[in-house]
Amino acid sequence: MYEYIDGKLAFKCPAYVVIETGGIGYHIHISLNTYSALKDQERCKLYTWLSVKEDSHTLYGFADEGERRLFLHLISVNGIGPNTGRMMLSSITPAEIEQAIVQGDVNQIKRIKGIGPKSAQRLIIELQDKLKKDGPGTLISMPLNNTSKDEALSALVMLGFVKNTAEKAVDAAVKSSPEPLSVETIIKLALKTL
């Protein structure tokens, strides 16, 4: 529902922030990873995810899109809820979590508070193939100076195509025309070869 919230950082503590935008203060739960990324900014932008339960609506915020994507992968595993996902992102960095899952490092994941051996094994079993398929570095945020090529590539990855394969298809599409192509045209050309 909410892609991101950008505004004045009205309050910050290690567990949550309040971002004021449009006269509304949004209470957003964050991880320690996001807390340290915010530093002493007066204005910030957090990528968000809204948890809707019978008795509450809770916003979770992330410093970058990659951290949010990993969080969504984590909570897709049976037995891992939003608070446990946030605890995991507070215990070790998103890159370390991704690496531990891809390499099947049960001990690294077990060190996280609230994660036992069974949960660690379940995380590895359910997410290892997904994260391997995405390839290393896909949890890193998208480039700031998005070109049509970058936007087309990120769209194809979000559609579920493997990053390396999509990148080759996008490169081929861009090289096929001497003049600049729109994002839509690049995606259409790339989809023909995928």
Side-chain angles (χ1 to χ4, degrees), residues 25-101:
Y26 293 93
H27 183 280
I28 305 170
H29 295 267
I30 59 170
S31 66
L32 285 176
N33 182 61
T34 296
Y35 176 77
S36 55
L38 290 175
K39 298 183 178 133
D40 292 328
Q41 301 174 17
E42 287 184 27
R43 185 173 182 81
C44 72
K45 174 180 179 178
L46 290 181
Y47 293 89
T48 57
W49 179 75
L50 178 65
S51 168
V52 179
K53 292 184 179 171
E54 194 175 297
D55 59 344
S56 70
H57 289 208
T58 309
L59 267 175
Y60 292 89
F62 309 94
D64 57 53
E65 195 178 346
E67 183 184 10
R68 178 176 62 184
R69 259 196 315 256
L70 178 60
F71 174 80
L72 293 175
H73 277 309
L74 294 173
I75 64 170
S76 73
V77 174
N78 191 20
I80 306 291
N83 284 327
T84 305
R86 184 171 67 138
M87 174 64 74
M88 291 180 74
L89 292 168
S90 294
S91 301
I92 57 178
T93 67
E96 289 172 332
I97 294 172
E98 179 186 26
Q99 185 178 10
I101 291 171

